[in-house]
Structure formats: C-alpha cells, structure tokens
Amino acid sequence: MGAMPEEIEGIVALLKNPIALSMGKRIYFRGQINGNDTVVVFSRWGKVAAATTATTLIHEFKITELLFTGVAGAISPELKIGDVVLGKRLIQHDMDARPLMAQHEIPLLSKTYFESDTTHLDITSKAMDEVFENNCLHAIIEKEYLREFNISQPKYVVGDIASGDQFFSSNKQKQALSTQLPEVLCVEMEGAAVAQVCYEHEIPFSVIRTISDVADDQSHIDFPSFINKISSKYAAEIIKNIFKQI
C-alpha cells in the first residue's frame, strides 16, 4: 500500500504482468515482483480509508503480508527531511476514550501500541541497510532535488510512529504530541489503523515512512513538491530491495 498515488506508480512499474482491478473506489494492481504474487494499491487518506483498503486486501486478495509506504512529519528533532522511519510500534494519537479506559488504548483490544512482527522487521531493516549504506537514493534522485531539500546523508531509524486524522502544520500540534508521547519519532494519518487491522487478522505488517517535513508551520509548503521529487523514488527503491530479501 502507498499513502500517496504518486508513490505507488514506481512500485506498479516493478510488477510483472500487471492487471488492474477496480473495487470500492480504488484500483488494485496485481502482478509479481521477484516471483512473488503482489497487489499494489493507493490506500487513500486517513485512518478509515486506509483500514478499509487493508481489510479489502486481506479478504478479497488473501494477502499474507502487508507493506505500507508513505510520508510523515518529523516529531523527533533528530530527524531531517529525507530520513526514513521504520515503524517498530504504531499508536493512534487521537484515540481517547477516557474515563472509560486509558488515553490511546484501543477499545476491546486492551492495546495501546501495535508492534511490527520481528521477523519481517528484520527483513525490512536489511533491505533498508542496502538502500542507505550504498547511497542508492543518490543514484536515482536528481542532485538538484536532493539539494532543494537539503538531503545529503539520509538515514533510517526504527521506532514509534503515531497516526491520527490530522495533518500537522503547527509547532503547537507538534509540541503537544511530543509531550504526550515522547517516544514517537514521526506522525502520519494511516499507519496505526492499518496495523490494527493486520493485528486483528494476524497479518504481519511493515510501515515505512519517509520524512517529508518537520510537522511545523511550513509543512504544507514542502509537502507536495517532496512527494513528487523524492518520496516516490524512495518508495520504489525500498520495496525493490525488500523483495530481494524475501
């Protein structure tokens, strides 16, 4: 799954013998990558849309693993535009059923965080090592675009990702989330909902988020250009390397 339509274009291009199927206002592309049966789809934005897409993948396409790529706003000051976060734990920062239960706890599941499967986390980490240690991104992205976003030595980290139906575009939002959840590295709008669906259906998942902005007052300015010039290339290269590990 890709969180932006531009991001799945490069991944669809990796498919051998692609077939497009329309279902529920989404187009699912079926094919093979490195001999593995694969379905690629744009999740649409927000938790409900992404959860709906994940559920369709599980029930209609019988997937056995879900990879989700997209962009995110940095919450940790250690992250820069162009860095990548591989989700170890996913949390819904806008879930709040107090006083019935603790803040951020998912009703009926008694869970606050959804953890990625360690085996698949290791596979994805090895693929990311290849991408970043070999400077693959510098070979596939124009130098002028890397300079535009001040990307020189991008890195990837493994840690917590927060999801909610909000686009972060102010320092006030950012500081509030950091105060509530100090271990969260970045914020986006879909990952934890997808993780919940996968958890309930016992499907392993990986959530990979490229930092497109620093979740402040300039976020809306950086976002569209970054998607087109940078993150779409990231997504295809990372997915290609994951399939080499399988």
Side-chain angles (χ1 to χ4, degrees), residues 45-63:
W45 301 310
K47 292 194 302 177
V48 172
T52 298
T53 310
T55 302
T56 300
L57 286 170
I58 292 168
H59 289 291
E60 297 293 333
F61 294 94
K62 311 301 181 185
I63 65 167

Side-chain angles (χ1 to χ4, degrees), residues 91-95 104 162-164 166 168 177 180-181 187:
I91 184 171
Q92 297 180 35
H93 69 77
D94 56 355
M95 175 58 71
H104 306 124
S163 308
Q166 294 177 307
F168 274 50
L177 179 60
Q180 280 188 2
L181 299 166
V187 64

Side-chain angles (χ1 to χ4, degrees), residues 25-237:
K25 299 187 182 299
R26 293 154 177 77
I27 298 177
Y28 296 81
F29 298 90
R30 301 188 69 166
Q32 296 82 38
I33 300 178
N34 200 29
N36 295 280
D37 290 336
T38 306
V39 183
V40 182
V41 61
F42 163 44
S43 65
R44 301 173 75 94
W45 301 310
K47 292 194 302 177
V48 172
T52 298
T53 310
T55 302
T56 300
L57 286 170
I58 292 168
H59 289 291
E60 297 293 333
F61 294 94
K62 311 301 181 185
I63 65 167
T64 56
E65 178 182 355
L66 193 150
L67 303 174
F68 190 20
T69 68
V71 294
I75 298 299
S76 168
E78 302 300 317
L79 290 173
K80 298 179 180 179
I81 291 175
D83 291 342
V84 175
V85 178
L86 173 57
K88 184 176 183 179
R89 301 191 304 172
L90 287 294
I91 184 171
Q92 297 180 35
H93 69 77
D94 56 355
M95 175 58 71
D96 191 349
R98 292 177 295 179
L100 299 178
M101 56 195 65
Q103 187 177 14
H104 306 124
E105 182 180 322
I106 304 299
L108 304 181
L109 295 182
S110 299
K111 289 184 68 69
T112 299
Y113 290 92
F114 295 97
E115 298 185 0
S116 296
D117 172 79
T118 54
T119 299
H120 291 81
L121 199 64
D122 183 58
I123 291 171
T124 306
S125 293
K126 289 179 180 177
M128 305 277 271
D129 285 339
E130 292 219 2
V131 171
F132 286 90
E133 290 179 3
N134 298 326
N135 288 325
C136 294
L137 299 175
H138 287 74
I140 62 172
I141 299 175
E142 290 85 343
K143 291 181 180 179
E144 62 183 281
Y145 295 159
L146 294 172
R147 286 195 298 268
E148 179 182 344
F149 292 96
N150 196 29
I151 300 172
S152 58
Q153 293 182 311
K155 64 181 182 297
Y156 88 90
V157 295
V158 180
D160 293 354
I161 297 175
S163 308
D165 286 319
Q166 294 177 307
F167 181 79
F168 274 50
S169 59
S170 74
N171 287 313
K172 183 179 179 181
Q173 286 175 296
K174 182 175 178 178
Q175 185 56 51
L177 179 60
S178 184
T179 299
Q180 280 188 2
L181 299 166
E183 295 184 354
V184 163
L185 299 179
C186 65
V187 64
E188 36 89 309
M189 297 177 66
E190 298 89 13
V194 171
Q196 180 178 339
V197 172
C198 288
Y199 170 81
E200 294 193 28
H201 290 85
E202 299 182 343
I203 298 292
F205 64 89
S206 298
V207 177
I208 306 160
R209 290 290 183 168
T210 302
I211 300 302
S212 61
D213 56 82
V214 292
D216 63 6
D217 303 275
Q218 299 299 310
S219 299
H220 63 290
I221 297 173
D222 298 335
F223 189 73
S225 179
F226 184 87
I227 298 294
N228 290 316
K229 297 175 181 177
I230 304 293
S231 67
S232 58
K233 309 290 195 310
Y234 269 52
E237 192 67 18

Side-chain angles (χ1 to χ4, degrees), residues 10-26:
I11 302 171
V12 171
L14 298 175
L15 290 173
K16 185 177 181 181
N17 303 318
I19 299 173
L21 301 170
S22 180
M23 189 182 304
K25 299 187 182 299
R26 293 154 177 77

